[in-house]
Amino acid sequence: MSAETLTPREIVTELDRYIVGQAAAKKAVAIALRNRWRRQQIEGALREEILPKNILLIGSTGVGKTEIARRLAKLADAPFIKVEASKFTEVGYVGRDVESMIRDLVDLAINLVREKEQRTVEGKAAHAAEDRLLDVLLPKPPGFQAGETGESGSREKFRDMLRAGKLDDREIEVEVQESSVGFVSIPGMEGMENNLRDMLGDFMPKKTRPRKMKVPEALRYFEQQEAQKLVDMDRVVALALEKVQEHGIVFIDEIDKVAGREGGRGPDVSRAGVQRDILPIVEGSTVNTKHGAVRTDHILFVAAGAFHISKPSDLIPELQGRFPIRVELQSLSQADFVRILTEPQNALLRQHEALLATEGVTVEFTDDAVQEIASIAAQVNARTENIGARRLHTILEKLLEELSFEAPSLTGRSVTIDAAYVRRQLEDIVKNEDLSRYIL
């Protein structure tokens, strides 16, 4: 069963494993994902007319806007890219190629499909890589005919030793292929540089140079080469383009930074220009990429912004109309911080416990410690800039700084972090508002 066949309720349940609260936003993206499956069930011209219901997420930083979109894409196994609308104003709106978001999405999709295809040929690639490695370890003498007495037995003996790891310490020389095309990097021209390298790479001679490797590294290198040979790249590109056009998700962050009423002069002109450049892509157009033309009609666009100064109505009317679903995300409270620290499958506290466990240090957070961390996060957000759940990252890093530094000398010990420990580590910083602005 694919992710898109999940019911909206099941999708929300999956998202609940990673993201706390924000029920309205989860419901909206769940419906959008389910609608993709519904559209696939419709035949004929009507199917082409049904456009995705693009979503505008409204909420301050750190409330989960990006995470909701990223988790949705992961759940749907869809190509996903995040761009910041404000970056297109850096050199004036004509100085940035807005279509690059689609080109980057295609490149990402090709990598995803290629990796998936390579996994299907892992067995053949591994066997071929072993043969190549054995050819290096057991070079055939001149005039040797395959199947001659003695060769097969030696080769299989070495193969068994290779699989048992008995040759891991041996170093061999491998001919490594490298590109002979070089460019001087120019800021802002990275995309053109990559395109030129790809175009010229097929025509320029490939250089090889000997490189010494340990057997396991050489085996991995050979496996990658053999897997690439076994994968049909024409098929990969075709599948990737289809995946982008039918299932791609583009997350446009900081859309509020390009919103504003046009005054005819100043930065508003640039911001409105960015909106006009984004509009055709969101409406549905054809973008030319080095792998072929891509239609954006059925790509799902999720835009997000805090909208503290501007409002969604400050976007140009045409762009507003392309985001029919609007959801306001709630600011996070102390109770939400407690849930974020403990409830998600890979909650922050579990991450830190796992990191310190690698040094042999067992860390346990008491319930009152969790409450104290959440309380401090809420206090600092209220007194300084409200950065939502991101505040928990900075507080935990400061809280565990000393313990993390001393962890190698604490191997085998258990450390209990309670409310008193939290206050002892953070109290002075929290009380000093000027200091907390810099540290927390």
Side-chain angles (χ1 to χ4, degrees):
M1 179 185 292
S2 68
E4 291 187 350
T5 62
L6 296 174
T7 66
R9 192 178 297 279
E10 289 170 334
I11 294 169
V12 170
T13 301
E14 285 295 312
L15 293 175
D16 282 341
R17 297 169 58 196
Y18 305 100
I19 304 162
V20 167
Q22 310 302 0
K26 291 176 185 174
K27 185 177 180 181
V29 297
I31 293 171
L33 185 60
R34 180 65 175 184
N35 276 339
R36 288 192 162 193
W37 175 82
R38 291 167 177 157
R39 176 180 167 271
Q40 298 294 329
Q41 313 311 306
I42 298 172
E43 301 292 339
L46 180 59
R47 174 173 167 176
E48 289 302 310
E49 293 295 325
I50 298 175
L51 301 177
K53 306 298 186 290
N54 297 323
I55 303 166
L56 179 62
L57 301 177
I58 304 165
S60 57
T61 184
V63 296
K65 302 187 296 295
T66 304
E67 191 65 15
I68 286 172
R70 183 179 287 118
R71 291 292 178 184
L72 176 73
K74 193 170 183 180
L75 180 63
D77 191 26
F80 171 83
I81 191 167
K82 174 187 174 183
V83 296
E84 294 180 355
S86 58
K87 87 168 187 175
F88 299 116
T89 66
E90 289 174 7
V91 195
Y93 75 90
V94 294
R96 288 284 187 174
D97 182 9
V98 175
E99 290 182 348
S100 64
M101 67 174 78
I102 304 301
R103 297 191 183 102
D104 291 343
L105 186 65
V106 170
D107 290 340
L108 179 70
I110 286 173
N111 289 336
L112 290 174
V113 175
R114 181 171 56 217
E115 288 172 5
K116 188 176 288 187
E117 292 291 302
Q118 285 179 349
R119 284 196 292 271
T120 64
V121 297
E122 276 179 353
K124 290 181 181 178
H127 190 77
E130 281 184 356
D131 285 337
R132 284 183 63 182
L133 189 60
L134 291 171
D135 288 342
V136 177
L137 292 168
L138 293 168
K140 297 181 175 65
F144 180 84
Q145 298 295 320
E148 283 188 13
T149 307
E151 187 272 339
S152 179
S154 298
R155 194 174 181 87
E156 291 310 309
K157 181 180 178 183
F158 265 78
R159 192 188 299 274
D160 292 339
M161 292 171 66
L162 175 64
R163 292 177 176 176
K166 294 178 180 178
L167 303 177
D168 287 357
D169 292 332
R170 183 173 295 194
E171 195 172 61
I172 61 173
E173 196 171 86
V174 176
E175 290 293 323
V176 178
Q177 206 173 71
E178 58 183 21
S179 173
S180 58
V181 183
F183 293 92
V184 176
S185 184
I186 302 173
M189 304 289 285
E190 296 85 356
M192 184 180 295
E193 176 188 327
N194 291 334
N195 289 340
L196 283 171
R197 183 179 286 109
D198 289 337
M199 284 190 296
L200 296 177
D202 294 334
F203 300 101
M204 301 297 288
K206 302 286 185 185
K207 285 200 240 177
T208 60
R209 63 178 178 85
R211 180 179 156 195
K212 294 197 176 207
M213 298 182 186
K214 290 288 184 71
V215 165
E217 184 185 358
L219 187 60
R220 285 193 297 272
Y221 176 73
F222 288 145
E223 282 177 358
Q224 289 172 359
Q225 285 197 321
E226 293 302 321
Q228 288 172 5
K229 290 178 187 175
L230 292 167
V231 170
D232 181 357
M233 281 306 298
D234 290 336
R235 180 172 182 272
V236 166
V237 170
L239 288 173
L241 292 179
E242 181 185 358
K243 201 170 181 67
V244 166
Q245 292 178 136
E246 297 295 325
H247 305 284
I249 298 175
V250 175
F251 181 74
I252 306 175
D253 202 7
E254 296 188 349
I255 194 77
D256 58 316
K257 300 293 194 305
V258 297
R261 300 195 181 280
E262 295 184 55
R265 292 178 297 174
D268 281 350
V269 176
S270 178
R271 290 199 290 260
V274 172
Q275 293 182 60
R276 283 193 290 269
D277 281 357
I278 291 175
L279 179 61
I281 299 174
V282 177
E283 280 185 324
S285 60
T286 300
V287 176
N288 291 317
T289 75
K290 62 188 177 187
H291 303 289
V294 174
R295 288 179 55 200
T296 65
D297 302 66
H298 300 289
I299 292 175
L300 175 65
F301 291 89
V302 181
F307 289 99
H308 289 315
I309 299 172
S310 57
K311 303 181 294 297
S313 58
D314 290 333
L315 294 167
I316 60 174
E318 297 87 350
L319 194 59
Q320 289 182 50
R322 291 298 169 176
F323 290 91
I325 301 176
R326 299 182 185 179
V327 184
E328 185 173 358
L329 282 76
Q330 304 301 313
S331 295
L332 300 173
S333 64
Q334 180 178 333
D336 291 325
F337 289 149
V338 172
R339 295 181 60 198
I340 289 168
L341 287 168
T342 57
E343 288 186 14
Q345 189 176 50
N346 301 309
L348 284 175
L349 296 187
R350 292 194 186 99
Q351 294 176 28
H352 284 280
E353 288 169 357
L355 286 171
L356 290 168
T358 62
E359 301 274 9
V361 181
T362 303
V363 177
E364 181 184 352
F365 291 87
T366 63
D367 291 342
D368 62 345
V370 176
Q371 291 287 347
E372 190 66 23
I373 293 168
S375 174
I376 290 173
Q379 289 176 44
V380 177
N381 272 348
R383 291 209 312 255
T384 60
E385 184 76 20
N386 187 351
I387 61 172
R390 291 190 177 95
R391 186 72 65 188
L392 295 172
H393 289 272
T394 57
I395 287 174
L396 283 172
E397 290 300 327
K398 189 61 183 175
L399 172 66
L400 299 172
E401 182 180 41
E402 184 180 332
L403 181 58
S404 184
F405 184 80
E406 298 293 345
S409 61
L410 300 175
T411 300
R413 292 183 56 181
S414 296
V415 179
T416 300
I417 296 178
D418 56 15
Y421 182 96
V422 175
R423 284 191 291 269
R424 189 165 60 250
Q425 295 295 113
L426 302 176
E427 191 171 28
D428 292 340
I429 300 172
V430 174
K431 284 181 179 178
N432 188 334
E433 188 170 331
D434 290 333
L435 191 58
S436 65
R437 286 179 184 274
Y438 287 97
I439 297 178
L440 300 180

